[in-house]
Amino acid sequence: NLYFDGDGVPRDYTTARAYYEAGALAGYSGAFYNLGMIYQNGDGVPVDERAATEWLSKAAIAKNVLTYSKLGDLYAFGHQFTMHNVGLAVHYYRLAIEARYPDTFCCAAERRIGAASNLAFLYLNVYKGNDQLRYHLVLELLRRSPKDDWSQYELAKMYGKGLGVKKDYEVAAAWLKKSADQGYSPGAGEYGSYLPSGTPSSADIAHGPNVLHPAWPVGDEAPGARPPPPQL
């Protein structure tokens, strides 16, 4: 970790990786996780999502709870796989939501929120079938992250269209405003249509900055702004 972070020594990914590999040989789950992240992010090595998945899977088998949401992202949205495995993505997102994170882990809430919102995205855009059950699960997941701009936008759409809940335009508008206030451009654009004609802010609010969904992989579009993935 000292060499990886450059903490008291020059940053040296090669030396850090060698120590992580030594830790992995000793069976330390934290080393499995760190090697997985190195290959996922390309820290001193070419990005290799298959190698990342192999190392992170070893960490998951060892019940390293930090691994679950990362594996969910790789199986759902990894760009180097020929085919995604949405079933495994759902499995790991569920584990991430239910995991007991260490007391010292400061980002536990963010991990759960990210897993919940990405799982909601899969239920909305990939799975077909029993809509009543699907929308019930989506609502439950979105309500876990009421301060997340993308979740607020999706809740607004569900109330606006009556998906799993009674149609309620006032509630939809309230959720859109929350999303718009955070600068989420799809929410801002649609909230503009709820405002009375001639309202000064309605001309400006539709041009809010395109803020990416925080749980979405870097370099990709926000879930609310991209076409749905192919059905798997």
Side-chain angles (χ1 to χ4, degrees), residues 3 5 8 14 24 30 39 41 57 77 91 120 181 210 214:
Y3 279 107
D5 297 328
T14 301
Y39 283 103
N41 298 324
S57 295
F77 310 117
H91 170 70
D181 286 346
N210 184 20

Side-chain angles (χ1 to χ4, degrees), residues 5-220:
D5 297 328
D7 187 0
V9 293
R11 175 172 285 175
D12 187 336
Y13 290 136
T14 301
T15 301
R17 191 172 74 255
Y19 278 113
Y20 288 145
E21 289 170 349
L25 286 173
Y28 177 53
S29 68
F32 298 152
Y33 173 80
N34 287 332
L35 285 167
M37 297 308 299
I38 280 176
Y39 283 103
Q40 183 179 6
N41 298 324
D43 293 322
V45 295
V47 172
D48 187 336
E49 289 180 350
R50 291 190 181 278
T53 303
E54 290 175 5
W55 282 114
L56 291 174
S57 295
K58 290 178 182 290
I61 292 170
K63 301 188 182 304
N64 185 306
V65 296
L66 308 185
T67 305
Y68 300 144
S69 61
K70 296 298 182 181
L71 274 172
D73 291 342
L74 281 167
Y75 279 118
F77 310 117
H79 302 296
Q80 293 187 5
F81 288 157
T82 303
M83 182 181 296
H84 304 313
N85 190 323
V86 177
L88 280 175
V90 169
H91 170 70
Y92 283 115
Y93 282 145
R94 285 174 173 168
L95 288 178
I97 292 169
E98 298 167 1
R100 291 190 175 184
Y101 292 89
D103 293 338
T104 56
F105 187 57
C106 62
C107 300
E110 287 80 359
R111 292 285 178 111
R112 290 194 179 95
I113 289 172
S117 56
N118 277 345
L119 183 52
F121 176 78
L122 294 181
Y123 283 141
L124 279 172
N125 295 289
V126 177
Y127 282 97
K128 307 296 179 184
N130 188 330
D131 285 344
Q132 182 177 0
L133 174 60
R134 192 160 56 97
Y135 292 142
H136 173 77
L137 291 170
V138 169
L139 283 166
E140 182 180 321
L141 290 164
L142 292 177
R143 286 167 176 160
R144 288 174 176 267
S145 52
K147 296 182 180 180
D148 176 73
D149 54 6
W150 179 81
S151 296
Q152 292 164 350
Y153 174 71
E154 292 298 327
L155 281 167
K157 289 201 302 184
M158 297 190 80
Y159 277 100
K161 296 178 180 180
L163 304 178
V165 291
K166 184 178 179 180
K167 188 179 291 186
D168 190 323
Y169 292 122
E170 289 187 7
V171 174
W175 281 114
L176 280 176
K177 184 178 187 302
K178 290 177 182 291
S179 180
D181 286 346
Q182 296 197 71
Y184 187 62
S185 56
E190 291 194 28
Y191 180 61
S193 67
Y194 278 77
L195 297 175
S197 178
T199 302
S201 58
S202 65
D204 302 323
I205 197 166
H207 298 92
N210 184 20
V211 179
L212 297 182
H213 178 46
W216 199 250
V218 174
D220 217 343

